[in-house]
């Protein structure tokens, strides 16, 4: 699995999203993607309590530690490569987290418009 070009939604080099915890489909801290990434983990989101509660409610509990998957659980303030469709769903429900545009992969634009992403830019 080779990652696609590391280009962000602004057309420049993709920057680091987060290393504590280590995020990304490739677990390299970047929101890189490839054909195998069916969830399109491309949006670099800054977690909020509201979003974490929403995600748990819709069936993706990101806040509970899962040591068997080497996952410590997310807290408000953590940066995480979020599935683009989940971000759009949270936007539609009024609880989307903030986003780092520089660290959000250009493939997120296949699902979420730049106009919507800009509304949450840090």
């Amino acid at each position: 699995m080779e990652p696609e070009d590391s280009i962000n939604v602004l057309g420049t080099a993709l920057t680091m999203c987060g290393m504590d915890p280590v995020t990304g489909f490739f677990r390299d801290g970047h929101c890189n993607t490839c054909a195998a990434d069916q969830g399109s983990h491309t949006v670099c989101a800054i977690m909020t309590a509201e979003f974490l509660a929403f995600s748990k409610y819709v069936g993706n509990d990101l806040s509970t530690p899962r040591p068997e998957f080497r996952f410590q659980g997310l807290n408000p303030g953590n940066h995480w490569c979020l599935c683009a469709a989940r971000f759009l769903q949270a936007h539609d429900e009024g609880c989307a987290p903030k986003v780092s545009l520089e660290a959000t992969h250009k493939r997120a634009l296949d699902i979420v418009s730049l106009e919507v992403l800009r509304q949450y830019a840090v």
Side-chain angles (χ1 to χ4, degrees), residues 33-109:
T33 191
C34 67
D37 178 14
Q38 296 184 357
S40 187
H41 296 80
T42 51
V43 176
C44 182
I46 296 92
M47 297 294 103
T48 63
E50 183 181 29
F51 173 77
L52 289 169
F54 166 77
S55 190
K56 186 174 185 177
Y57 175 75
V58 296
N60 187 21
D61 183 359
L62 296 172
S63 53
T64 301
R66 297 290 304 268
E68 67 273 26
F69 299 117
R70 295 179 309 186
F71 180 68
Q72 66 191 41
L74 300 178
N75 295 300
N78 288 149
H79 290 65
W80 193 249
C81 294
L82 194 59
C83 293
R86 178 69 76 212
F87 175 84
L88 185 58
Q89 182 184 24
H91 162 72
D92 291 343
E93 295 294 327
C95 59
K98 292 293 185 187
V99 172
S100 169
L101 296 177
E102 295 82 6
T104 295
H105 195 280
K106 67 180 180 179
R107 287 298 302 275
L109 298 175

Side-chain angles (χ1 to χ4, degrees), residues 5-15 101-106:
D5 291 343
S6 296
I7 304 296
N8 65 34
V9 296
L10 303 174
T12 58
L14 189 68
T15 63
L101 296 177
E102 295 82 6
T104 295
H105 195 280
K106 67 180 180 179

